[in-house]
Amino acid sequence: MYRFHKLDKTTSTRCAVCKYFRRRCPQDCIFAPYFPNDNPHKFTCVHRFYGASNIAKMLEEIPVQLRAHLVESLYYEATCRIQDPVYGCVGIISSLHRQIQIAQSQLAKTQAEISVLDANFVVTNEPSSSLDESLVQQNGVDHGLDDPFNPWFY
Amino acid sequence: MAPGHSPCASCKLLRRRCAKDCIFAPYFPSNEPHKFAIVHKVFGASNVSKMLQELHVHQRGDAVSSLVYEANARLRDPVYGCVGAISYLQKEVSQLQMQLAMAHAEILCIQMQQEPLGLAPTPAASSINGLVPVHPTCAGFSTEDILSRVSSDDMSHLHNITDHDHDQYFTSNSVIQYDNLKRESSSLWT
C-alpha cells in the first residue's frame, strides 16, 4: 500500500519532461517550472525540433527571469514548423514583409493624392496668392505623415 | 568516403565518413562550415536530419535556408529568436495601417472641403492676410471625426496572419538585432 502511495506521489510531481523520459524528477529539475505535467504537448512539440539536451543548454545560458519567455518562443517556433514544415515561422516573417511593402506603397500613393488635392484646392480657391505662401499656411499643423520609409528586407 | 568526394560541412564537423547519399551534403557544402555549425548548435544534427527526411527532395533546400535563418535569429536573440522579429514587424504593420487610415481620413476631409454646398471656412479659420488655411481642422470637422468614418476595410485588409499572442515577446533589443538579421539573411536566401 505504501509502495503504491509512494509511486503515486512521484508520478504526480514529475514534470512533463521527466514523465516523457520516464525518469525521476529532481527538485531542481531545470524543465519543471516551464513544462508542467498538465501540458505534455508543449514539450513533445519543442523536443521534436530542438531536443531536450539543447533546450536544457539554452535554459542554462539564460537568466532565470527570462526562461519562461524562451520556452514560449521555442514553443511558438515549433508550432509554426509543425504547421509549415518547410518554412516554419520564417514564412510568417516573409508574409509580414510583403504586407509592409504593400502598405508602404499604398501610403505613398495616398499621400501623393493628398498633395495633388491640396495643390488643386489652393489653386482653385486662392488664385491671387502664391502657392508657396498657401503651403506655408497649411504647415502650421503637423500631420505626422512625412517620415521617410526605412528600406526593408528586399 | 567515395574517392574524389570531399566530406560535407556536417560530416566534417561531426567527424564521420561522408556517404555518397549523405542527406546533408547537398545543403551544407564544405566551403560553408558556419551554416551547419549554427543549425547544429540550435537544432542538433539528428533533428535536422529527421526534418529533412520528412520532406520531399525539392523542398529541402528551402527548409535548410529557413532553419539557418531561425538558428541565426536564435543566436542573435537567445530569448526570443524569430518571435522578436515577428513582433517587431507586426508593430510596423499596425503603425502603417494607422498612417494609411489617417491619410484616407485626410482625403475625405479635403474632399468635404471641396464640396460646393459643403463647409464654408469660418471667419476664425481665416488667416490675418486673408489667406485661408488649407485643412487643419476641415472647417469644424477634426481629422478624428473623419477617421471614425473610415471603413473598417482600411484597417482590416492588412490583417495579422497569426492569432498567437506574441506581443509579450517584444524586446527593446529586437530592433537592433532585426536590422542585423536583415542584412545577413539576404545572402542566405537565393
Side-chain angles (χ1 to χ4, degrees):
Chain A
M1 199 65 164
Y2 174 73
R3 252 173 73 193
F4 281 122
H5 217 327
K6 197 170 180 195
L7 271 172
D8 282 347
K9 192 179 175 201
T10 313
T11 309
S12 64
T13 56
R14 281 193 299 180
C15 69
V17 178
C18 294
K19 218 172 177 178
Y20 180 92
F21 288 113
R22 298 181 189 188
R23 64 189 186 198
R24 196 179 73 85
C25 189
Q27 239 182 359
D28 60 349
C29 175
I30 196 167
F31 298 110
Y34 318 107
F35 296 101
N37 61 10
D38 59 357
N39 189 1
H41 176 257
K42 197 171 177 183
F43 178 70
T44 50
C45 256
V46 181
H47 176 57
R48 181 174 162 176
F49 298 104
Y50 298 97
S53 56
N54 277 346
I55 298 166
K57 271 187 230 163
M58 286 191 235
L59 285 169
E60 279 161 8
E61 289 168 4
I62 299 289
V64 174
Q65 63 270 23
L66 293 173
R67 288 178 183 175
H69 291 232
L70 165 67
V71 167
E72 291 306 312
S73 73
L74 290 175
Y75 183 37
Y76 180 87
E77 287 186 25
T79 308
C80 289
R81 185 65 61 176
I82 289 170
Q83 289 172 357
D84 185 351
V86 181
Y87 298 104
C89 64
V90 178
I92 295 174
I93 291 174
S94 290
S95 183
L96 285 168
H97 276 295
R98 277 193 303 274
Q99 289 186 21
I100 285 168
Q101 271 188 318
I102 291 166
Q104 285 175 331
S105 91
Q106 283 179 343
L107 188 58
K109 235 164 75 174
T110 308
Q111 286 176 336
E113 273 177 43
I114 289 170
S115 301
V116 168
L117 286 171
D118 275 350
N120 286 345
F121 185 63
V122 168
V123 166
T124 305
N125 287 280
E126 298 299 331
S128 57
S129 59
S130 75
L131 191 61
D132 285 343
E133 276 182 295
S134 303
L135 289 174
V136 166
Q137 288 285 326
Q138 90 185 45
N139 283 340
V141 177
D142 178 17
H143 302 291
L145 295 173
D146 55 357
D147 287 338
F149 300 126
N150 290 321
W152 280 109
F153 185 67
Y154 42 73
Chain B
M1 189 168 24
H5 169 72
S6 64
C8 68
S10 47
C11 294
K12 244 179 179 168
L13 186 78
L14 299 171
R15 294 181 192 192
R16 63 186 192 191
R17 194 178 74 89
C18 191
K20 217 172 172 185
D21 60 351
C22 173
I23 196 168
F24 296 117
Y27 316 107
F28 297 104
S30 54
N31 60 344
E32 288 181 317
H34 66 280
K35 229 169 124 178
F36 182 76
I38 57 171
V39 168
H40 177 52
K41 184 175 164 73
V42 174
F43 296 100
S46 57
N47 291 329
V48 174
S49 172
K50 275 186 229 163
M51 284 188 246
L52 292 178
Q53 279 166 7
E54 289 170 3
L55 296 171
H56 292 296
V57 174
H58 66 273
Q59 294 174 316
R60 290 177 184 175
D62 282 351
V64 165
S65 294
S66 72
L67 290 171
V68 171
Y69 187 99
E70 278 190 39
N72 250 325
R74 183 61 62 181
L75 292 180
R76 287 191 182 281
D77 187 347
V79 180
Y80 300 103
C82 275
V83 175
I86 289 172
S87 189
Y88 172 76
L89 288 171
Q90 288 224 333
K91 281 186 192 291
E92 289 293 322
V93 168
S94 298
Q95 280 169 9
L96 283 167
Q97 280 178 321
M98 183 55 70
Q99 287 177 10
L100 201 51
M102 294 278 291
H104 286 155
E106 197 162 330
I107 286 181
L108 282 174
C109 198
I110 297 170
Q111 285 169 345
M112 284 171 66
Q113 265 195 309
Q114 290 177 348
E115 278 179 17
L117 299 175
L119 319 152
T122 61
S126 302
S127 74
I128 295 168
N129 295 332
L131 294 170
V132 178
V134 178
H135 54 81
T137 60
C138 292
F141 282 77
S142 69
T143 306
E144 286 70 26
D145 290 336
I146 307 299
L147 194 61
S148 65
R149 301 181 201 185
V150 169
S151 77
S152 60
D153 286 345
D154 289 325
M155 298 295 286
S156 66
H157 75 282
L158 290 173
H159 59 277
N160 293 336
I161 65 170
T162 174
D163 56 7
H164 189 96
D165 179 21
H166 50 257
D167 278 348
Q168 60 181 312
Y169 303 136
F170 180 69
T171 65
S172 57
N173 287 331
S174 65
V175 173
I176 298 163
Q177 287 159 356
Y178 183 64
D179 283 341
N180 291 337
L181 191 62
K182 268 194 305 187
R183 279 194 291 274
E184 266 204 25
S185 54
S186 59
S187 63
L188 292 173
W189 224 284
T190 53

